[in-house]
Amino acid sequence: MIHFVLLISRQGKVRLTKWYSPYAQKERSKVIRELSGHILIRGPKLCNFVEWRGYKVVYRRYASLYFCMCIDANDNELEVLEIIHHFVEILDRYFGSVCELDLIFNFHKAYYILDEVLIAGELQESSKKNVARLVAAQDSLVEAAKEESNSISNIIAQAAK
Amino acid sequence: MNPFSSGTRLRDMIRSIRACKTAAEERAVVRKECAAIRAAISENDQDYRHRNLAKLMFIHMLGYPTHFGQMECLKLIAASGFPEKRIGYLGLMLLLDERQEVLMLVTNSLKQDLNHSNQYIVGLALCALGNICSAEMARDLAPEVERLLNSRDPNIKKKAALCSIRIIRKVPDLSENFMYPAASLLKEKHHGVLISGVQLCIELCKASKDSLDHIRRNCTDVLVRILKDVSNSSYAPEYDIAGITDPFLHIRVLRILRILGQGDADSSETMNDILAQVATKTESNKNAGNAILYECVETIMGIEATSGLRVLAINILGRFLSNRDNNIRYVALNILMRAISVDTQAVQRHRTTILECVKDTDASIRKRALELVFLLVNDTNAKHLIKELVDYLQVSDPDFKEDLTAKICLIVEKFSQDKLWYLDQMFKVLSLAGNFVKDDVWHALIVAISNAPDLQGYSVRLLYSALQASLEQESLVRVAVWCIGEYGEMLVNNVGFLDSEEPITVTESDAIDLVELALKRHTTDTTTRAMCLVSLLKLSSRFPPTSERVKGIVTQHKGNVELELQQRSIEFASIIQRHTGIKSTLLERMPVLDEASYLSKRAGSTEKTASGDPKSTASGDSKITSSVKVPNGVAKPPTTAAIPNLIDFSIDDAPVPPTSTTASEPPNFMMDLIDINLPSSPPSGGEPAPVINRNIIDDLLSIGTSPVENGLPASSSFPTIAKSTVPETKPAPVSDLLDGLSLSLDSSSSPSREEEHKSITAFQSGNLKITFSFRKQPEKLQATLIHATFTNLSSNAYTNFIFQAAVPKFIQLHLDPASSNTLPANGNGTITQSLTLTNTQHGQKPLAMRIRMSYKVNNEEKLEQGQAENKERKTFSLSIAFSSDSHSVERELFAVASHFLLSSSFELVPRFYKP
C-alpha cells in the first residue's frame, strides 16, 4: 500500500502531498522535512529506494522535481517506480510536456489526476488513456457549468440595464 | 460585495507568494490572504467560495494552518453543482483527515452523492471515502459501496472496489459482505476493474481466513487464466509498457497467487506452469519486466513450488545480483533475505557478492546487505566475515559505522566461544568505532574479561596500548580504564603473557599517566571521568608508592562543577588520606562477575517480551550482576566494585554486629555487606548467612512474598533469608511485632496474622503496584524500616521514577535512595527503596503516610498519588526506631555508597500532606 505521495522540488519546496494513512499536521511537516533531507542529497547513480522508519520510500527525479511514494517494506519497489512513471506520463499528456510551473499553478488539477490514478493508496487504472478521458470529461462538466452561469449572469446583467 | 474577497484570483495569489523573497514576506502575503478568506467565510460569501478553498489548499500545502476552512469544504460538497462538489471533495481530502470530528458531518452528503445519478459525482464521493474514511463512516456507508460494486459503469466499479479496501482495513468485520462481489469482479474484462478487483481480493485474504478459503477454492483458476491472458496477449497500445502488456495487472495477480499458494499444494500445482512461463518469457532489460520478475520470484519462493521452478527463481536472483543497476541489486538483496529461509545454500553461494554490497557506495544497498550478512553468519564463516567487516569498519562512512558496529558486536557476541578471538575482535571494534558501541556491549565485554582469569593480563596490556594510541573512542576509554584499575599489576608485571603478544614495558607511573590523560581530556564525559577516578583510586592501592600522586590528581577535582565528580573526589581523597589501614581491603579486585546471570538479565532487558519465563528474570537476582545494570546505567562496573568494597570496610572497621550499624542502611547495602562479610558464601543472592538471621527475623513483616522476591534485583536474598528461618524463631518476633501493632491486633490470633502482614500492597493502580515489607528492631519500637518494592504493571517502561512520601508531624521520615529510577515494563523488574519511619507518638497514634510517584512514560510526565495503607486494617500502624547516633565514618561511607545509586530521592516533600 502507498502511504503517501510527495512531490518535492530540488529546493525542498512541497509541490503536492497526498496522505493515504493518517498523519497529523505536525507529523506531516516533520515527515516532509526528514525525507527531503534523506532524498535530496542522494547522488544520481544510487538506487531509488530509501529505507525510512520501517517503510520504504521510492523516489524518482524528473527535472527539478522529486516524485516520492512511501510503501510498506515488503511491497514491490520496482512496480512503484513504474507507478510513478505512469502518473508522470499522464501529467505530461494532460499538460502537454509538463513542467514544475504547471504543477504549481494548476496544483488542483494534478490532484484530480492523482485521484484518478490512486485511491486508498492502491492503483486504480493502468490505462493512461482512460485516466485522460475521465479527467477531460470532468473538466468539460466544469466548463459547461461555468459557461452556463456566465450566460445566466449575462442575462441578468442585460436585464438589469 | 465584500471588498476583500473580490480581491485576487488564485493565480495571482500564487504568483505573489512566489515573488516573495523572504519567509517574512511570504508570511505577510499569506496572512493577508487568510484574513480575506476568513472575512469571506464569515460573510457566507458564495460566489468565491470555491476560489477561496483552492487558495486555502495552496496555503495549506505551504504548511500554514487552515482549519478555519474546513466547514467551507462541507458547504461546497453540499452544493448541487459538479464544480463545487469537485473542489469541495478535494479540499476535504487535503485539509481534513480521518481523525477530525468535522468529518462525521459529511457522512450524509456522501451518502446522497453515492446514490447520485451523475456517475462523476458518485466517483468523487467514492474517491473521498476511499482516501479518508474513518471506521464509523466505513460502517455507515459500506452498504452503498457494496451496491456500487455491482454498478454497470466500470469506472464506478473500480473505484468502489478500492473504496471497499479502505473499508475493510478500517473494519475487518465487514469483509464477509464483500467476499462474493469481489470474486465476481474478477470476471470483468476492463483492466481497471481487474486490477482493483484483485487488490480487493488480496485485502480480503489478509482480513479473514474464510475469504481466503473462498477465494482459493473459487478464484484460483480464474486468476491463473487472467495471468495467462495478459501475459500471452498481443501488443495492446493502451496498456503497453516497454513491450509488456499491463505489468501492473501481472504483478497484482502474481501477488495474490502467492497468498493463495502459500501452504497449499493443490493451488500451487495449478499455478506452476504459468509461473514458469512468466519467469522464462519476461524480458528483463526494462524496469517493468524486472518488476514482474521480482514479483514472480517472490511468488515462487512463497508457494509450494516444484524444485525446477525454485532453480529458475534462484537463477533469476543470481542475474539480478550481478546486474549493474543499483535498483535491481537492491531488490535482489531484498529477496535473498526472504529466500534464506527457503534455500540457505543458494544464498550462501552469493556470499562474496553480498559482502561486496556491504561496501557499496549506496547507503540503502549497504544497509540491506549488512542485514543479509547478519543472517548468513554461521559457525564456519563467522571468523572470515567478521574479519572482512572489521576491516571495512576502518574505512566506512561515518554514518554507516553505527549500524555496522552494532551488527559486528552482535555477531561477535553470538560466536564468542573462542574467548581470545572474541576479545581481540571487541578490542578492534572499540578502538575503531568505540563511540558507536552500545553500553550493554561493553558491559558484557567487562563481564567476559572478569571471567577469563588467564586473559586478563593480555586484555589489560592490549587495551593499554590501544588507549595509548587514541583516546578518541569513549567506550574504549571506559573499558581500558576499568581494566587498568582492576588489573594494574598484571599490566606492569606482564602477568599471563601470551606467545602472540608483543612485549611492552609499562611502569606504574605510565599507567597513572594514561588514566590521568583520559581524565583530563576535555571531551571525556562525566561517566568516563568518574570511572577514571575509581581506576586511580584502585591504582593507588595496587601501586602504593603512587598513592600521593593519585591523591594529588583526585584532589584537583574537589571543586569540579559536576556534583558526581566532586563528591567522588572528596570521598576518594579521604579514603586515601584517612583510612590507609583498610584501604587495600576496600579496593580489592572485583569479585568475578556472574556471566550467566548477566547475559540472561541483558537478554531480558533487551527483549522486553513480557512472556519471558519468570525463572530467567529471577536468575538476575544475583547481587553483583544486578548492580552492574540496576542504577539506570549510572553505576558502572567500577562503581559496583566500590560498593561492596566500601561496605566491606565498614564491617572491618566496626566490629559491632551488623544489626545496629546498618539499621539505617538500605537493605541492598545490607546484602552486599552480608555477602562480602562472608567470603565463603558465593556472591549469588539467596545464600543465607546464619549470623544475621536473627535480626532480620526480628520483624516478620519483612518476609517477602513472591513478587518481592523475584522482583528485587539487589536485595532479593533478604526476604529469602527471612523466610527460610522463620519456623525456628517464630514466637519471639511475633510478640515484638504485636507490640508495635497493638492498636488493632489481638495476640490470640497471632499465627494467622503474621501471615497477613508479611508484606502488604500499599498502593495499586492500573499501572503501578507498590508493596511494603516491614522490619523493626526490638530495642527501638518507635522506628519501622519499610522496604518498598515498585512494580510496573503497564506495558511501557517508566523513566525518571521518583517516589515521594509525606507523613504527619509526629512521624519522622527518612528515605534512602532508590535502587534505580527506571522501571521496566510488565513487571519485568522492580525498583526497591527503603524508608525509615519514626513515630514519636508511638503507641498513641498509628502510622500514616501519603505517597506520590512521578515518572515518565514515553517522555510524558505522569503523577500518581495515594494513601499508603494496609488493606486489612485501613492504615498500617507500626513503630520505628531512628538511628540517630550513627557512627560518623559509617555515615560518610553511606554517602559514598549512596551517590553511586543516583540519590534522586534524598529530598523529601512533605508539603502536600494536609493532616
Side-chain angles (χ1 to χ4, degrees):
Chain A
M1 171 196 180
I2 296 165
H3 293 279
F4 53 81
V5 177
L6 284 183
L7 261 69
I8 316 173
S9 76
R10 187 87 194 88
Q11 290 77 35
K13 289 237 187 263
V14 182
R15 294 303 176 211
L16 181 148
T17 56
K18 186 88 181 175
W19 308 84
Y20 296 104
S21 297
Y23 287 85
Q25 200 57 50
K26 261 194 191 150
E27 185 69 13
R28 289 182 187 184
S29 24
K30 213 172 122 202
V31 167
I32 295 171
R33 253 202 324 276
E34 210 172 289
L35 278 179
S36 4
H38 284 310
I39 290 171
L40 298 180
I41 54 161
R42 283 175 69 85
K45 285 276 168 58
L46 305 182
C47 71
N48 295 50
F49 319 124
V50 176
E51 289 175 30
W52 170 81
R53 297 195 196 170
Y55 298 108
K56 283 177 184 159
V57 178
V58 179
Y59 70 94
R60 192 154 177 176
R61 184 178 169 180
Y62 291 89
S64 58
L65 266 188
Y66 285 82
F67 287 69
C68 316
M69 292 189 180
C70 172
I71 54 170
D72 288 320
N74 51 3
D75 283 348
N76 188 332
E77 299 90 347
L78 298 179
E79 190 213 3
V80 176
L81 273 182
E82 236 16 88
I83 294 181
I84 292 178
H85 192 68
H86 184 64
F87 176 48
V88 172
E89 281 195 359
I90 296 169
L91 286 176
D92 198 52
R93 267 186 217 184
Y94 181 83
F95 288 105
S97 97
V98 66
C99 68
E100 196 180 336
L101 280 181
D102 289 328
L103 297 185
I104 295 171
F105 285 103
N106 293 302
F107 70 94
H108 50 294
K109 298 201 166 149
Y111 278 110
Y112 293 143
I113 293 173
L114 185 62
D115 282 342
E116 291 297 333
V117 177
L118 299 174
I119 288 184
E122 306 285 355
L123 185 73
Q124 67 164 311
E125 182 59 73
S126 55
S127 157
K128 300 179 200 55
K129 224 158 127 196
N130 201 14
V131 174
R133 214 158 37 218
L134 286 169
V135 177
Q138 298 183 52
D139 282 352
S140 64
L141 264 185
V142 174
E143 283 307 314
K146 219 185 251 173
E147 247 161 52
E148 196 182 320
S149 73
N150 275 350
S151 64
I152 291 174
S153 59
N154 277 349
I155 293 166
I156 294 171
Q158 299 261 308
K161 265 183 189 168
Chain B
M1 192 176 283
N2 182 312
F4 293 106
S5 63
S6 60
T8 51
R9 292 184 305 157
L10 173 63
R11 185 164 281 268
D12 297 332
M13 183 195 81
I14 296 176
R15 210 167 271 147
S16 59
I17 287 177
R18 279 174 55 76
C20 295
K21 290 199 178 58
T22 62
E25 262 180 69
E26 182 185 295
R27 274 198 297 276
V29 173
V30 170
R31 206 180 303 125
K32 211 172 116 208
E33 285 293 342
C34 284
I37 296 169
R38 276 171 194 270
I41 290 172
S42 64
E43 295 201 351
N44 208 6
D45 169 34
Q46 300 199 352
D47 298 333
Y48 292 101
R49 188 171 274 155
H50 59 280
R51 182 207 272 177
N52 286 337
L53 186 56
K55 283 181 181 174
L56 271 183
M57 281 188 255
F58 190 83
I59 291 170
H60 177 85
M61 203 154 58
L62 296 174
Y64 295 92
T66 50
H67 46 88
F68 55 87
Q70 289 173 352
M71 287 311 286
E72 294 298 283
C73 302
L74 304 193
K75 285 182 194 156
L76 281 167
I77 290 170
S80 60
F82 178 78
E84 287 83 7
K85 280 188 191 293
R86 196 185 194 195
I87 195 103
Y89 277 119
L90 184 60
L92 187 78
M93 288 186 279
L94 283 183
L95 305 185
L96 277 80
D97 69 52
E98 59 177 280
R99 281 165 303 190
Q100 264 133 349
E101 300 274 313
V102 188
L103 199 57
M104 284 309 292
L105 301 175
V106 89
T107 312
N108 218 20
S109 306
L110 271 171
K111 195 167 194 154
Q112 276 168 14
D113 286 348
L114 287 174
N115 292 314
H116 206 278
S117 56
N118 183 332
Q119 54 151 323
Y120 296 111
I121 289 178
V122 179
L124 286 177
L126 280 172
C127 180
L129 192 61
N131 286 345
I132 58 163
C133 89
S134 62
E136 282 161 76
M137 288 167 79
R139 271 201 199 89
D140 289 346
L141 297 173
E144 262 70 27
V145 176
E146 209 184 309
R147 187 179 53 75
L148 288 172
L149 279 175
N150 299 319
S151 148
R152 294 223 320 276
D153 184 345
N155 293 321
I156 300 284
K157 260 189 189 176
K158 68 181 188 197
K159 285 195 164 75
L162 294 181
C163 197
S164 317
I165 292 182
R166 170 103 186 181
I167 291 174
I168 295 166
R169 279 186 194 144
K170 292 288 156 201
V171 193
D173 301 347
L174 290 172
S175 60
E176 58 190 70
N177 301 1
F178 290 97
M179 201 156 74
Y180 294 97
S184 67
L185 287 178
L186 300 179
K187 297 188 184 92
E188 295 280 333
K189 285 277 167 281
H190 189 282
H191 280 214
V193 179
L194 276 180
I195 283 183
S196 9
V198 173
Q199 276 170 160
L200 177 55
C201 289
I202 293 176
E203 206 60 38
L204 284 169
C205 291
K206 286 187 199 156
S208 87
K209 183 83 178 52
D210 287 348
S211 320
L212 175 62
D213 289 339
H214 176 82
I215 292 171
R216 187 180 275 154
R217 245 192 341 267
N218 302 311
C219 305
T220 311
D221 294 327
V222 185
L223 287 162
V224 168
R225 198 167 54 246
I226 294 174
L227 187 55
K228 217 173 256 169
D229 288 349
V230 70
S231 123
N232 290 333
S233 81
S234 52
Y235 178 69
E238 199 171 344
Y239 299 109
D240 187 80
I241 296 177
I244 297 164
T245 305
D246 207 341
F248 301 113
L249 185 56
H250 268 99
I251 289 168
R252 281 182 176 66
V253 177
L254 285 167
R255 191 173 299 157
I256 193 168
L257 288 182
R258 175 161 74 241
I259 296 172
L260 298 179
Q262 211 152 35
D264 189 281
D266 288 344
S267 46
S268 298
E269 175 65 32
T270 336
M271 54 188 88
N272 259 336
D273 288 348
I274 184 64
L275 289 179
Q277 186 195 327
V278 172
T280 44
K281 280 179 73 182
T282 308
E283 291 283 337
S284 64
N285 49 2
K286 284 277 166 51
N287 182 56
N290 284 324
I292 294 176
L293 284 174
Y294 174 39
E295 198 71 40
C296 188
V297 169
E298 286 227 52
T299 300
I300 293 173
M301 295 290 187
I303 65 167
E304 313 296 310
T306 59
S307 58
L309 208 52
R310 286 257 159 85
V311 172
L312 205 60
I314 298 285
N315 287 344
I316 295 176
L317 263 184
R319 270 208 326 266
F320 271 18
L321 253 189
S322 52
N323 200 308
R324 297 235 312 281
D325 185 344
N326 277 333
N327 286 344
I328 307 295
R329 285 200 302 157
Y330 177 88
V331 298
L333 291 171
N334 228 348
I335 326 178
L336 280 174
M337 195 110 147
R338 277 167 246 174
I340 205 163
S341 56
V342 181
D343 191 348
T344 323
Q345 276 312 308
V347 182
Q348 288 285 3
R349 226 175 297 142
H350 298 295
R351 206 171 53 221
T352 356
T353 325
I354 296 166
L355 210 52
E356 281 310 304
C357 292
V358 175
K359 303 170 188 173
D360 202 277
T361 45
D362 189 330
S364 301
I365 290 188
R366 278 199 307 247
K367 205 167 164 196
R368 242 345 70 220
L370 185 62
E371 302 266 325
L372 193 54
V373 167
F374 181 64
L375 295 178
L376 279 178
V377 179
N378 57 26
D379 289 322
T380 48
N381 60 21
K383 289 193 178 171
H384 168 71
L385 282 175
I386 284 297
K387 188 180 174 307
E388 290 275 341
L389 292 181
V390 171
D391 286 350
Y392 180 60
L393 189 57
Q394 218 151 1
V395 291
S396 69
D397 245 19
D399 298 344
F400 189 50
K401 273 200 170 111
E402 187 171 355
D403 285 344
L404 191 58
T405 311
K407 282 283 183 297
I408 293 178
C409 292
L410 271 175
I411 300 174
V412 170
E413 283 178 1
K414 202 162 140 197
F415 298 95
S416 62
Q417 289 86 352
D418 180 355
K419 274 274 169 319
L420 185 60
W421 177 77
Y422 165 72
L423 293 178
D424 275 342
Q425 302 311 316
M426 284 311 298
F427 296 154
K428 268 189 214 161
V429 173
L430 283 181
S431 29
L432 286 173
N435 286 331
F436 301 105
V437 173
K438 297 267 182 309
D439 279 356
D440 56 337
V441 172
W442 66 260
H443 288 172
L445 177 62
I446 282 180
V447 174
I449 294 177
S450 107
N451 276 289
D454 39 343
L455 292 175
Q456 281 163 354
Y458 171 73
S459 305
V460 68
R461 282 188 295 277
L462 216 65
L463 285 167
Y464 177 84
S465 316
L467 195 60
Q468 241 181 351
S470 159
L471 288 163
E472 302 286 326
Q473 310 290 350
E474 201 75 51
S475 60
L476 173 71
V477 179
R478 290 185 187 177
V479 176
V481 159
W482 187 86
C483 286
I484 293 172
E486 287 299 316
Y487 312 116
E489 72 279 9
M490 297 188 175
L491 172 67
V492 175
N493 305 329
N494 276 332
V495 176
F497 197 77
L498 300 186
D499 299 336
S500 57
E501 245 179 284
E502 292 203 8
I504 52 167
T505 332
V506 185
T507 65
E508 296 180 350
S509 68
D510 285 347
I512 303 231
D513 280 345
L514 191 58
V515 179
E516 188 186 2
L517 212 61
L519 179 64
K520 292 196 170 152
R521 233 177 78 86
H522 63 282
T523 52
T524 312
D525 77 359
T526 312
T527 314
T528 314
R529 276 178 207 222
M531 290 177 72
C532 290
L533 284 176
V534 177
S535 173
L536 284 171
L537 180 66
K538 291 217 163 191
L539 284 178
S540 78
S541 148
R542 308 274 186 278
F543 314 141
T546 63
S547 195
E548 270 311 301
R549 182 165 168 224
V550 169
K551 197 184 125 203
I553 302 170
V554 169
T555 319
Q556 288 167 11
H557 289 266
K558 272 191 168 167
N560 198 302
V561 283
E562 289 284 345
L563 182 64
E564 176 76 25
L565 297 180
Q566 192 186 60
Q567 195 173 352
R568 279 192 198 218
S569 79
I570 291 171
E571 287 157 3
F572 292 174
S574 94
I575 289 173
I576 298 175
Q577 198 169 8
R578 305 227 306 263
H579 304 292
T580 38
I582 44 84
K583 197 174 82 181
S584 58
T585 341
L586 184 64
L587 301 172
E588 258 175 10
R589 191 174 294 162
M590 282 276 288
V592 173
L593 304 162
D594 187 351
E595 199 164 13
S597 55
Y598 174 73
L599 292 177
S600 69
K601 189 169 169 65
R602 185 178 165 203
S605 69
T606 43
E607 275 169 31
K608 295 259 154 105
T609 37
S611 57
D613 144 20
K615 285 268 163 46
S616 72
T617 33
S619 69
D621 282 353
S622 149
K623 168 190 73 78
I624 289 177
T625 8
S626 55
S627 323
V628 174
K629 291 213 77 171
V630 160
N632 193 24
V634 171
K636 295 295 180 280
T639 327
T640 35
I643 299 174
N645 285 336
L646 285 168
I647 305 293
D648 193 8
F649 155 52
S650 84
I651 291 172
D652 290 348
D653 203 37
V656 204
T659 330
S660 55
T661 35
T662 56
S664 65
E665 294 198 6
N668 38 353
F669 294 113
M670 174 101 164
M671 285 333 294
D672 290 343
L673 198 162
I674 292 160
D675 279 341
I676 302 296
N677 195 21
L678 305 165
S680 57
S681 78
S684 56
E687 200 74 345
V691 194
I692 46 132
N693 278 352
R694 209 167 359 96
N695 65 319
I696 294 177
I697 297 152
D698 279 348
D699 188 347
L700 271 177
L701 295 190
S702 66
I703 298 168
T705 42
S706 54
V708 182
E709 190 173 341
N710 59 19
L712 296 191
S715 60
S716 58
S717 47
F718 165 60
T720 326
I721 294 166
K723 198 188 274 171
S724 64
T725 41
V726 164
E728 310 129 43
T729 44
K730 208 178 253 167
V734 171
S735 63
D736 271 347
L737 233 183
L738 294 183
D739 197 20
L741 303 173
S742 52
L743 284 178
S744 51
L745 277 185
D746 82 359
S747 52
S748 60
S749 61
S750 56
S752 63
R753 293 290 175 145
E754 132 213 339
E755 290 298 315
E756 282 172 32
H757 299 288
K758 276 178 183 170
S759 76
I760 61 161
T761 302
F763 175 87
Q764 179 152 18
S765 72
N767 308 321
L768 190 66
K769 183 179 164 186
I770 304 174
T771 45
F772 279 180
S773 61
F774 303 99
R775 212 147 55 97
K776 239 180 352 141
Q777 290 171 274
E779 67 270 29
K780 288 172 183 168
L781 289 173
Q782 292 180 317
T784 307
L785 195 83
I786 301 179
H787 188 76
T789 309
F790 306 90
T791 316
N792 178 353
L793 303 174
S794 79
S795 54
N796 297 313
Y798 299 159
T799 54
N800 299 20
F801 187 93
I802 296 174
F803 168 75
Q804 296 170 323
V807 289
K809 282 205 182 89
F810 60 88
I811 299 175
Q812 285 172 329
L813 174 66
H814 175 85
L815 249 86
D816 289 332
S819 63
S820 158
N821 68 356
T822 308
L823 201 48
N826 300 322
N828 274 344
T830 53
I831 295 178
T832 57
Q833 188 166 25
S834 299
L835 32 145
T836 313
L837 293 179
T838 310
N839 187 350
T840 52
Q841 301 191 21
H842 168 62
Q844 297 159 33
K845 287 186 178 172
L847 280 186
M849 178 162 61
R850 290 250 172 114
I851 53 177
R852 181 161 82 165
M853 285 69 60
S854 68
Y855 50 87
K856 278 187 175 176
V857 190
N858 301 330
N859 278 331
E860 205 180 313
E861 296 270 7
K862 295 266 184 189
L863 195 69
E864 291 199 52
Q865 47 186 325
Q867 179 115 22
E869 57 176 24
N870 187 340
K871 290 267 154 55
E872 286 94 331
R873 292 188 298 114
K874 300 288 181 276
T875 8
F876 57 87
S877 52
L878 295 165
S879 39
I880 309 149
F882 186 53
S883 52
S884 56
D885 54 346
S886 304
H887 196 265
S888 65
V889 175
E890 185 195 333
R891 197 180 286 158
E892 186 182 325
L893 283 169
F894 177 66
V896 173
S898 66
H899 89 262
F900 291 122
L901 290 180
L902 203 80
S903 48
S904 58
S905 39
F906 255 118
E907 24 170 318
L908 300 177
V909 191
R911 60 182 165 226
F912 62 92
Y913 183 81
K914 293 188 196 85

